[in-house]
Structures are given as C-alpha cells and as structure tokens.
Amino acid sequence: MFACGSKSEPKAKVAPEGSAALTTPSGSASSTARDGKIDLAPAVRPTPTEPLPPPSPTPDTTAVAFEAQARDTVWAPATEAEIRHRFDTGVRAGRLEGTECRADQCLLTMSGTEEEMARAIRDLETEAGLRKFADHIILGGPEQRDGKLVVKAYAVFARDRGPN
C-alpha cells in the first residue's frame, strides 16, 4: 500500500518567518508558559498631566441653572425681541412658540414637523440664527404634542453682569 504524497522520511518542521522562539535578554529560550488564565489585576492607567475640562452642560443641568436665575429686567426684553427677530428672518422653518430670558440664558420653545425642526435647528446654528449672538445652544430632547414636535433650546450668553 502506498499513501499519497507520503515519504518514508518525515519532513522537517519549519516555523513561519518571524515566529522564532521567544528569548530572554540573555539569549536563552523563554521558560514561562501561558496558563490560559486571565489577569484580573487592575490596569495601571496614566494620570492626566492637565486638569480635565469641566463636564459639558446637559439640558437638565441647564434647566436647573435657568430656573435659579433672576430675570434681568433690562437685558431680557431686548434679547427676547432680538431672538424673535432672528427667528422670523433667519430661521426658515418651525415656529417659535415662546422665548423667556433670565440673567444670561434664554429658553426657546419651538414646534413643527420633524423636518421643520431639523431645519430650524440647523438655521439656529448660522449667523442669521444665533451664531455669534449667543455663546452656545443646548438642545433638550424633543417631545410630541398635538401631532407636532416640540423642542426646547437654551441659548446661553457669555455676558458680564457685574454686581446685581
């Protein structure tokens, strides 16, 4: 009987290139074997050299800060009028249901279809909207009311209020 492709001499085993036995710094073969166990020791993580930035504001923390503010009776009405003007002239979709300003924040309540609200939010981020007017905008999660999507946004202004 003959076995296909077999010879009476065993072939020498050749390791693929780059898979030579591990060696220790002295040049002898490594004697440590892997036991298959997972190392559960906590990883040592590098410590940051610079302080971490403050966490980004969330709609919840912004709403709490907004509610805690007193209304600036000079700044708030003028800012509300400017926001209404910008919404009327620079925002192509959605409806501004209301705006209320306090000391350095304004709450905008907007409504419309999903497409209208997407366009309104994009437009608010342009110079015709609130860009270069408000410092930043924080969007709240949308709500469904009477078949419309309602979005609350907080426009936060970097203003030096000075002593009150």
Side-chain angles (χ1 to χ4, degrees):
M1 268 191 181
F2 293 102
C4 285
S6 68
K7 293 185 180 179
S8 58
E9 297 177 18
K11 289 187 178 182
K13 290 187 178 181
V14 179
E17 187 177 327
S19 62
L22 295 176
T23 58
T24 60
S26 65
S28 62
S30 176
S31 63
T32 58
R34 298 182 74 176
D35 61 5
K37 294 182 181 177
I38 297 173
D39 182 10
L40 297 176
V44 177
R45 304 205 189 283
T47 56
T49 57
E50 298 177 15
L52 295 174
S56 298
T58 65
D60 292 337
T61 59
T62 304
V64 169
F66 176 79
E67 292 298 326
Q69 289 185 355
R71 182 172 170 87
D72 182 327
T73 57
V74 175
W75 177 80
T79 306
E80 291 165 350
E82 180 64 20
I83 289 172
R84 284 191 296 274
H85 171 73
R86 286 172 177 263
F87 205 92
D88 290 342
T89 60
V91 179
R92 300 171 288 168
R95 179 168 185 253
L96 182 63
E97 297 286 336
T99 182
E100 178 184 353
C101 296
R102 299 281 176 98
D104 68 355
Q105 296 181 32
C106 297
L107 171 62
L108 287 72
T109 305
M110 306 170 288
S111 68
T113 66
E114 188 173 337
E115 288 177 14
E116 289 172 336
M117 294 315 305
R119 177 174 267 178
I121 291 167
R122 279 193 309 268
D123 288 349
L124 282 177
E125 295 174 342
T126 66
E127 288 185 24
L130 297 180
R131 186 174 179 195
K132 294 188 178 180
F133 179 61
D135 185 54
H136 59 278
I137 303 167
I138 300 169
L139 296 174
E143 301 172 16
Q144 284 287 100
R145 283 192 214 151
D146 302 324
K148 295 282 185 181
L149 198 61
V150 177
V151 175
K152 291 185 177 184
Y154 293 90
V156 181
F157 296 83
R159 61 185 295 250
D160 182 18
R161 291 187 302 272
N164 288 335

